[in-house]
Amino acid sequence: MSSQTTTSPPPSPWTIVAGAVGLLTMSISLLLTAFAWPSTRSSLHDVPIAVAGPPPAVQQVTTTLDQRLPGAFEITAVGDTAAAEKLIHDREVYGAIDLSSGAAQVITASAASVAVAQALNSIAGGLNQQPAAVAVPARDLVPLPSDDPRGAGLSAGALPLVMGGLAAAVLLTRLVRGIVRRVAGALAFAVTGGLAVTAILQFWLGSIDGSYWANSGAVALTIAATSLSILGLESLLGFAGFGLGTAIMMLVGNPLSGTATAPQMLPGWSGSLGQLLPPGAGGQLLRSTAFFDGHGATHATVVLISWLAFGVVLCVAGGLRTRHTNQQSPAAQPPVAVMA
């Protein structure tokens, strides 16, 4: 009888251990940078606001703001309170300083950005020629719901939308065969996920107002754009495509979305970049449908539809390539009859 001995594989070389440690160190450093850098470097950068009142008073306040906070605001001068309020409702400005009555008054829209509203209230105190103890009157023109006055639910909802899109791409890739069925599954999940997420935010947490169906459409479009773009990258590039899509949405899109503050408060060009990706565009679209009757939603809608179409095109291209490869492979050819 012959006996066989089973030997265990030798331990990995120390170079492999060192490489793994280095890769993990780079990964955690990248994650920390992606999520902490925008928050720690947030400040006011060209935030659009309006200043209403007589031209001399508007010029004086504009000069004062430029001296105290250079580059912080992009100021639009208007003649009266009604014009300033219209700009706020249309989402062209975040708030206004109203000088129509002689003394400075602040008009904010916390639904657009709590951080900008707080910044306007804090700096307006020095605009009145009054003692510092006298508070400047402030009016919240578009407030957040009373159940969530800080907008915590809306800010926290950005990450689950991205995770939902990632999960959809992973599950559909692993469980569903056929490009048409995968695309149909992603679109169906976007609809059901949009209805469910909006119901939680609007009816349970009370974080958003407005039309439930319009809000559901905004959330569904965000999920569809995220899941289909990652699904398309995976179908064309394989696992590398999935990693690329995850990095774009998680490491770039989510930290730079500006949902918690405002895109103009992120450092440098990062706020503008974030609005070109589904997480940032989705957050802005939901604010528009929930609090501003859809005003200011055009740019975000175009961005999301573009990503959705991009994902569909990649899915079709990946499916055609797979079909062509199968047709050219020997295993796909019909068997040849052999006669003896």
Side-chain angles (χ1 to χ4, degrees), residues 55-336:
V58 170
Q59 182 61 41
Q60 181 180 0
V61 169
T62 301
T63 303
T64 302
L65 290 177
D66 288 339
Q67 292 175 350
R68 295 183 180 180
L69 297 170
F73 297 105
E74 181 180 309
I75 298 175
T76 300
V78 294
D80 53 23
T81 305
E85 292 180 351
K86 185 179 186 302
L87 291 178
I88 295 174
H89 280 299
D90 291 342
R91 296 209 70 187
E92 295 185 22
V93 298
Y94 282 91
I97 298 175
D98 186 11
L99 307 171
S100 302
S101 62
Q105 297 181 353
V106 179
I107 305 175
T108 61
S110 59
S113 173
V114 175
V116 174
Q118 293 174 345
L120 281 175
N121 288 327
S122 65
I123 67 172
L127 300 178
N128 272 341
Q129 300 300 322
Q130 298 176 359
V134 178
V136 176
R139 177 163 55 96
D140 197 346
L141 186 64
V142 188
L144 286 163
S146 58
D147 290 338
D148 189 7
R150 295 181 294 113
L154 187 60
S155 301
L159 182 59
L161 292 184
V162 177
M163 295 298 294
L166 294 176
V170 172
L171 290 179
L172 291 172
T173 301
R174 297 294 177 262
L175 301 180
V176 178
R177 291 191 300 271
I179 293 299
V180 175
R181 287 170 173 78
R182 288 180 180 177
V183 172
L187 293 176
F189 165 68
V191 173
T192 58
L195 293 172
V197 170
T198 305
I200 294 173
L201 287 175
Q202 189 160 354
F203 301 132
W204 182 18
L205 301 179
S207 298
I208 56 177
D209 290 329
S211 168
Y212 169 73
W213 301 108
N215 295 335
S216 298
V219 175
L221 186 57
T222 304
I223 296 175
T226 304
S227 60
L228 281 172
S229 56
I230 297 175
L231 197 64
L233 288 170
E234 195 280 335
S235 66
L236 190 64
L237 303 177
F239 184 76
F242 178 78
L244 176 62
T246 303
I248 292 174
M249 300 302 170
M250 284 290 296
L251 299 182
V252 181
N254 189 68
L256 303 185
S257 65
T259 305
T261 55
Q264 291 81 3
M265 295 189 68
L266 296 177
W269 44 263
S270 58
S272 300
L273 175 62
Q275 296 309 297
L276 297 177
L277 300 174
Q284 294 300 313
L285 179 59
L286 184 56
R287 285 187 186 274
S288 294
T289 58
F291 304 110
F292 297 90
D293 296 326
H295 293 292
T298 303
H299 177 268
T301 303
V302 171
V303 169
L304 292 174
I305 292 178
S306 299
W307 277 96
L308 191 154
F310 173 70
V312 171
V313 170
L314 290 184
C315 287
V316 173
L320 292 176
R321 188 186 67 173
T322 302
R323 179 181 300 179
H324 179 74
T325 302
N326 292 336
Q327 290 176 350
Q328 295 299 322
S329 62
Q333 302 296 329
V336 179

